Amino acid sequence: MDIKTVGVVGAGQMGNGIAHVMALAGYDVLLNDISEESLNKALSLIDKNLERQVSREKISEDERAIALGRIKTTTALPDLGPTDLIIEAATERETVKAAIFEDLLPHLKPETILTSNTSSISITRLASRTDRPERFMGFHFMNPVPVMQLVELIRGIATDEPTYNACLKVVESLGKTAASAEDFPGFIVNRILMPMINEAVYTLYEGVGSVKSIDESMKLGANHPMGPLELADFIGLDTCLAIMNVLHDGLADTKYRPCPLLTKYVEAGWLGRKSKRGFYDYRGDAPVPTR
């Protein structure tokens, strides 16, 4: 199947990044969200990020204008029905994702490919609730989407080869690299990354080190570009906790038990950068550790 039009569900951090790279690669994009305000905010951010690429001479001013012109928005989910490929990038809650696919089904073309940008939820289970499990797969971008080079492609148990190849072709057209992952909790990146972040939270919880000393140790001692607690704040502590719960529930191994301190931060609404407080406080001129 030759993919020309892409529907993106969710205009948040991941959705607007996906719309950005798809439009830049020449696809006509229809971006959906439940509120007009979210869509306007997303378009403004895409414009700002494209402008940054122009200033760094990554793209030309003409490319920026053409890419912006390729993105249309809608608050009506059924409008995405005629697109060739749909990428769901809504909140990391299975009930929400399943409801989105259920609402989309009556409006889809028979050949439309459905995908989810989920970072950990079972692709096979999501696919089973649709009328096209063979044309359903995981399409997991990394954050921030315009910068990160990897896309995980996850086959469900029923995903057919033409669907995989069509999605692989899209990834290559974006100038990104695809990693093929099997459908097990967390796939590849989060299966490895989240337990490391969780262990860093345990290290803080048990008083082995402070926020600053843990992050500095991993940056300077393991050459990581960001410390694990700083990275957790960037990802969102609610997302980290959700993925740890998926790993713990899906693999039934105590090594994936979420740290109680991570749960406490989420319960407090301290979710990281997006709420201005997490392991760091972002309300001042410079981030300050909260422990």
Side-chain angles (χ1 to χ4, degrees), residues 108-147:
L108 300 176
K109 298 188 297 185
E111 64 273 22
T112 297
I113 293 172
L114 287 177
T115 68
S116 176
N117 182 59
T118 179
S119 48
S120 60
I121 296 167
S122 167
I123 298 302
T124 298
R125 200 161 59 237
L126 286 173
S128 72
R129 293 168 189 165
T130 75
D131 63 352
R132 60 195 67 208
E134 69 286 349
R135 284 192 299 285
F136 191 111
M137 66 182 301
F139 209 127
H140 182 216
F141 288 85
M142 306 295 130
N143 185 33
V145 179
V147 175

Side-chain angles (χ1 to χ4, degrees), residues 204-205 209-212 261 264-265 270 278-280 288-291:
L204 178 66
Y205 176 62
S210 65
V211 169
K212 186 182 176 188
L261 184 60
K264 184 181 283 189
Y265 269 68
W270 292 20
F279 293 112
Y280 292 85
V288 178
T290 53
R291 289 179 84 84

Side-chain angles (χ1 to χ4, degrees), residues 3 22 85 87 113-118 123 136-142 149-156 159-174 176-184 187-189:
I3 292 168
M22 288 290 177
L85 168 68
I87 303 172
I113 293 172
L114 287 177
T115 68
S116 176
N117 182 59
T118 179
I123 298 302
F136 191 111
M137 66 182 301
F139 209 127
H140 182 216
F141 288 85
M142 306 295 130
Q149 289 300 301
L150 185 76
V151 180
E152 283 182 311
L153 290 180
I154 306 104
R155 290 181 179 92
T159 306
D160 63 23
E161 203 61 25
T163 297
Y164 176 81
N165 288 333
C167 290
L168 178 60
K169 191 175 170 186
V170 171
V171 174
E172 289 170 346
S173 74
L174 301 177
K176 296 187 184 294
T177 300
S180 183
E182 293 302 314
D183 184 25
F184 290 99
F187 317 132
I188 296 171
V189 173

Side-chain angles (χ1 to χ4, degrees), residues 78-89:
D79 289 352
L80 273 60
T83 57
D84 301 325
L85 168 68
I86 293 177
I87 303 172
E88 170 275 312

Side-chain angles (χ1 to χ4, degrees), residues 3-8 22 27-30 83-87:
I3 292 168
K4 292 186 171 68
T5 56
V6 179
V8 180
M22 288 290 177
Y27 298 97
D28 290 322
V29 178
L30 187 54
T83 57
D84 301 325
L85 168 68
I86 293 177
I87 303 172

Side-chain angles (χ1 to χ4, degrees), residues 6-280:
V6 179
V8 180
V9 184
Q13 198 173 34
M14 297 304 293
N16 75 65
I18 294 167
H20 172 147
V21 298
M22 288 290 177
L24 205 50
Y27 298 97
D28 290 322
V29 178
L30 187 54
L31 180 61
N32 163 264
D33 205 284
I34 54 174
S35 83
E36 202 70 54
E37 185 188 354
S38 297
L39 291 169
N40 291 335
K41 188 177 169 187
L43 281 178
S44 174
L45 187 57
I46 291 167
D47 190 15
K48 182 180 164 188
N49 289 336
L50 285 166
E51 195 56 61
R52 185 182 290 130
Q53 287 179 301
V54 172
S55 70
R56 292 177 180 172
E57 299 183 347
K58 302 277 187 188
I59 62 171
S60 69
E61 184 59 47
D62 281 352
E63 286 173 316
R64 181 194 75 85
I66 292 167
L68 265 182
R70 288 195 184 108
I71 303 171
K72 303 287 184 286
T73 63
T74 179
T75 54
L77 194 59
D79 289 352
L80 273 60
T83 57
D84 301 325
L85 168 68
I86 293 177
I87 303 172
E88 170 275 312
T91 187
E92 192 68 0
R93 283 170 52 198
E94 189 168 345
T95 51
V96 173
K97 294 179 185 296
I100 287 166
F101 291 123
E102 188 179 332
D103 289 348
L104 275 169
L105 290 182
H107 310 284
L108 300 176
K109 298 188 297 185
E111 64 273 22
T112 297
I113 293 172
L114 287 177
T115 68
S116 176
N117 182 59
T118 179
S119 48
S120 60
I121 296 167
S122 167
I123 298 302
T124 298
R125 200 161 59 237
L126 286 173
S128 72
R129 293 168 189 165
T130 75
D131 63 352
R132 60 195 67 208
E134 69 286 349
R135 284 192 299 285
F136 191 111
M137 66 182 301
F139 209 127
H140 182 216
F141 288 85
M142 306 295 130
N143 185 33
V145 179
V147 175
M148 301 296 276
Q149 289 300 301
L150 185 76
V151 180
E152 283 182 311
L153 290 180
I154 306 104
R155 290 181 179 92
I157 198 169
T159 306
D160 63 23
E161 203 61 25
T163 297
Y164 176 81
N165 288 333
C167 290
L168 178 60
K169 191 175 170 186
V170 171
V171 174
E172 289 170 346
S173 74
L174 301 177
K176 296 187 184 294
T177 300
S180 183
E182 293 302 314
D183 184 25
F184 290 99
F187 317 132
I188 296 171
V189 173
N190 283 315
R191 173 78 177 262
I192 298 166
L193 176 63
M194 285 302 154
M196 185 198 77
I197 286 175
N198 194 52
E199 195 61 34
V201 183
Y202 266 114
T203 306
L204 178 66
Y205 176 62
E206 292 168 5
V208 179
S210 65
V211 169
K212 186 182 176 188
S213 64
I214 291 165
D215 277 353
E216 281 190 346
S217 293
M218 294 308 291
K219 283 194 282 190
L220 302 178
N223 208 26
H224 289 191
M226 292 172 79
L229 302 175
E230 183 187 3
L231 180 57
D233 275 358
F234 179 75
I235 293 166
L237 304 193
D238 51 341
T239 301
C240 294
L241 179 59
I243 296 168
M244 284 311 301
N245 280 325
V246 167
L247 288 169
H248 191 232
D249 295 344
L251 298 167
D253 192 322
T254 54
K255 73 179 178 179
Y256 300 113
R257 182 169 60 96
C259 179
L261 184 60
L262 178 60
T263 303
K264 184 181 283 189
Y265 269 68
V266 173
E267 286 174 347
W270 292 20
L271 308 180
R273 284 181 179 267
K274 61 187 171 186
S275 66
K276 304 290 185 190
R277 274 193 292 188
F279 293 112
Y280 292 85

